[in-house]
Amino acid sequence: MTRPTAKERILDSYEEILIEQGPGGITLEAVAAHAGVSKGGLLYHFGSKEALVDGLMERLATLSEEDLEQARSAPEGVVSWYLRTAITDVTQRKPLHRTTMATLRIMLNEPRVSEVVQVYNQKVHDLISEHVDDPLTAELVILVGDGLYLRAALGRDDASPLLNRIDEIVTRIQH
């Protein structure tokens, strides 16, 4: 496994501070210290707090595209994959989940963040709609996925047992 670059460590630290403390905990000094780099090293990669937000949004876009690509090639099908990963991305602390949580912490203060999230949400909607004939059923699939994700993200113990019932959930939604 390759060691993360300084730029990746800085973004990882930015995410972690956002998740743990929210936007109020973000200073360039705090991010640099957490990442184990000097403030000058941080500024070399990210010249401002706005550049950190841009870096987070680039990471979100990249991880989201990778996620959509995995969904398209999933042997169990897009819908089952979508619902299953709504839980497993959280319980396994996947990078997209961490980036999503950090993004949610700054969304209210950063309108451009909402735009990036809306683009990804539309791509998810389009993908599910390609694989579900009825538009209302497609919306229901997305709502169930959102609900499973939220349950898991909130640490509810009743999300994980549903993994064994994903096929049943898909059948009920689509019939």
Side-chain angles (χ1 to χ4, degrees):
M1 187 170 172
T2 60
R3 186 168 181 224
T5 65
K7 186 174 183 177
E8 290 168 332
R9 286 194 330 269
I10 292 166
L11 274 178
D12 290 345
S13 294
Y14 180 57
E15 281 183 0
E16 195 166 322
I17 294 169
L18 279 171
I19 291 167
E20 291 177 6
Q21 300 175 29
I26 297 296
T27 65
L28 296 178
E29 293 81 6
V31 175
H34 191 279
V37 300
S38 67
K39 185 175 175 184
L42 181 145
L43 290 170
Y44 174 78
H45 295 288
F46 301 98
S48 64
K49 283 185 182 181
E50 291 76 22
L52 280 169
V53 173
D54 291 342
L56 184 65
M57 293 305 90
E58 288 173 24
R59 179 180 272 184
L60 180 64
T62 298
L63 291 172
S64 297
E65 287 302 324
E66 291 171 2
D67 191 58
L68 291 169
E69 205 46 52
Q70 289 176 357
R72 285 184 188 95
S73 62
E76 71 268 32
V78 167
V79 173
S80 290
W81 186 91
Y82 175 73
L83 295 176
R84 185 170 280 105
T85 60
I87 298 170
T88 59
D89 280 5
V90 176
T91 58
Q92 295 174 11
R93 306 253 319 144
K94 297 275 178 93
L96 179 57
H97 166 66
R98 286 183 44 81
T99 301
T100 300
M101 290 294 102
T103 299
L104 290 173
R105 294 299 302 254
I106 59 172
M107 240 168 90
L108 294 176
N109 300 330
E110 297 281 347
R112 62 198 166 125
V113 172
S114 294
E115 293 169 14
V116 173
V117 171
Q118 287 174 5
V119 167
Y120 173 66
N121 285 340
Q122 185 61 52
K123 288 180 178 187
V124 168
H125 181 275
D126 293 346
L127 180 63
I128 298 296
S129 295
E130 288 173 23
H131 294 272
V132 177
D133 294 333
D134 176 57
L136 180 56
T137 303
E139 290 296 330
L140 291 172
V141 167
I142 293 167
L143 288 171
V144 169
D146 288 349
L148 291 170
Y149 184 82
L150 182 59
R151 273 187 177 185
L154 292 174
R156 297 246 329 247
D157 292 336
D158 56 350
S160 291
L162 291 172
L163 278 172
N164 297 329
R165 301 184 72 189
I166 293 296
D167 293 336
E168 181 184 347
I169 293 168
V170 170
T171 300
R172 286 188 184 200
I173 292 172
Q174 292 188 320
H175 291 97

